[in-house]
Amino acid sequence: AVLLTSCQALSAHGHTCRPLRLTQLRAATESAPTSECGMSPSRKPILVIGATGRLGSAIVQKLSSRNIPYRCLVRPKSPNFERIQGLSGGQIFEGDLANPQHVEAAVSSGGGISGCICVSGSFRKTKMSDVLLPWRWSNNKKGKDTTHPYIVNHIGMQNLCKSVDDYNQCHEKIKIVKVSGVMLSLPRWHHINILGNMIYSGVLRWHRAGERDIIDSGVPCTILRPGSFRDDKEYGHLKKGMQIVEDGALKPSLRVKKPLIGKDDLTEICIDCLKFQDDIDGRILYPRWILK
């Protein structure tokens, strides 16, 4: 069995943790309290944002296989919708993170949700219009480019936090688990940061702003900066363990070697992080494989 560093074991000062089997971690949190309306939070759906991506679809498939209800917020005519089409136990909300009404509906409709896993993110190449016509993405005028990372990674997170915070005012508090990436731990002046922002519309800048939006909102949250995720079967021959640490930032050397993590392992961590509140609330964690 894969060993996982227990999120509960992370102390207030971090860095010390005890190994715990993934099945034990899940069993420790199976008994969920009942909300004021009498509905068990575990039976409310988990909202997955970015559900048609590689990681998002894997999370949805995992929830479906465990008969855990889920709800997806997907863009209309998403090109990868077939990844989640036909799965049982789910609800599909067509909408856009850039639209506050769409996000509010996904969070609050039908009795609400039990938590939110957000793996969304815009990753598009810089266009000439980004430089010559910045108002097309930097304001809220009609006709704005909603695919720009400023809108998806920054404004979208503000909309999500506002909807979750409003929901928490009159319901049992729910949590956001946000997945970004380990590259955000590099200093702003690092050459990878500079090149990445130049080529991909400031994607790292606005991902970092989105993380800060979530933490500053006061909504219960955990930020995950995983290593580059890989197909678990491809690396099945390697002996490896699993570790979650708080001091996993990349060192700003000229040659940066990204840590790795399996896609299946990362989906497990995303789901399990929803079950913890105080121990990992407001923290940035780095899940990764330990190759033996």
Side-chain angles (χ1 to χ4, degrees):
V2 175
L3 291 180
L4 176 68
T5 299
S6 169
C7 298
Q8 270 189 322
L10 289 169
S11 67
H13 300 289
H15 320 323
T16 57
C17 29
R18 61 186 176 88
L20 187 69
R21 291 187 185 278
L22 202 56
T23 52
Q24 293 174 322
L25 178 63
R26 188 172 302 113
T29 54
E30 280 182 346
S31 56
T34 303
S35 65
E36 294 178 2
C37 62
M39 180 184 293
S40 170
S42 64
R43 300 317 301 165
K44 292 183 180 181
I46 293 174
L47 175 61
V48 182
I49 300 178
T52 58
R54 284 198 302 157
L55 178 59
S57 59
I59 292 173
V60 170
Q61 291 167 12
K62 184 76 69 176
L63 294 172
S64 178
S65 68
R66 294 182 181 169
N67 296 319
I68 299 174
Y70 63 89
R71 177 180 296 173
C72 304
L73 178 63
V74 300
R75 287 175 176 269
K77 300 179 180 179
S78 173
N80 298 314
F81 182 73
E82 70 279 356
R83 291 177 176 174
I84 60 173
Q85 195 171 19
L87 297 176
S88 60
Q91 305 168 339
I92 306 297
F93 278 60
E94 283 197 347
D96 200 312
L97 275 174
N99 189 315
Q101 288 75 32
H102 293 173
V103 181
E104 182 180 1
V107 171
S108 303
S109 296
I113 57 177
S114 62
C116 175
I117 301 176
C118 181
V119 294
S120 65
S122 175
F123 194 77
R124 85 183 204 355
K125 290 186 177 181
T126 302
K127 301 177 182 179
M128 188 64 69
S129 59
D130 295 341
V131 180
L132 301 180
L133 306 172
W135 57 86
R136 287 200 60 201
W137 55 266
S138 62
N139 59 37
N140 293 319
K141 291 183 179 180
K142 186 177 180 180
K144 66 186 176 184
D145 184 357
T146 58
T147 66
H148 195 282
Y150 169 80
I151 301 295
V152 179
N153 303 347
H154 179 35
I155 301 301
M157 293 305 98
Q158 291 181 348
N159 293 338
L160 177 61
C161 291
K162 176 66 166 58
S163 296
V164 171
D165 187 50
D166 290 346
Y167 180 87
N168 285 349
Q169 299 303 317
C170 52
H171 298 83
E172 183 171 353
K173 287 189 175 182
I174 59 175
K175 177 180 182 178
I176 298 174
V177 174
K178 168 63 176 171
V179 180
S180 52
V182 73
M183 302 307 292
L184 294 182
S185 66
L186 289 171
R188 297 174 188 271
W189 47 261
H190 194 276
H191 66 282
I192 292 181
N193 252 324
I194 296 173
L195 288 174
N197 286 327
M198 288 177 60
I199 298 173
Y200 294 106
S201 308
V203 60
L204 298 175
R205 172 189 176 187
W206 299 120
H207 254 313
R208 190 177 285 108
E211 288 184 350
R212 182 49 53 191
D213 290 331
I214 296 173
I215 293 174
D216 290 347
S217 70
V219 170
C221 67
T222 298
I223 308 295
L224 297 178
R225 289 178 173 177
S228 181
F229 60 89
R230 295 289 187 267
D231 190 319
D232 297 72
K233 295 180 180 179
E234 182 182 347
Y235 288 80
H237 63 286
L238 298 177
K239 292 183 178 180
K240 52 190 177 296
M242 178 62 65
Q243 184 184 51
I244 302 176
V245 295
E246 285 190 297
D247 57 351
L250 295 177
K251 296 180 180 180
S253 60
L254 290 177
R255 297 183 65 183
V256 175
K257 185 177 181 180
K258 291 194 293 184
L260 303 178
I261 187 171
K263 185 170 62 174
D264 286 346
D265 290 334
L266 184 54
T267 61
E268 299 277 8
I269 292 170
C270 291
I271 296 170
D272 286 329
C273 277
L274 278 179
K275 302 172 185 177
F276 297 98
Q277 293 289 350
D278 296 337
D279 287 348
I280 56 173
D281 186 28
R283 297 190 181 190
I284 299 177
L285 305 177
Y286 297 81
R288 59 187 59 192
W289 275 339
I290 302 174
L291 301 180
K292 298 177 180 180

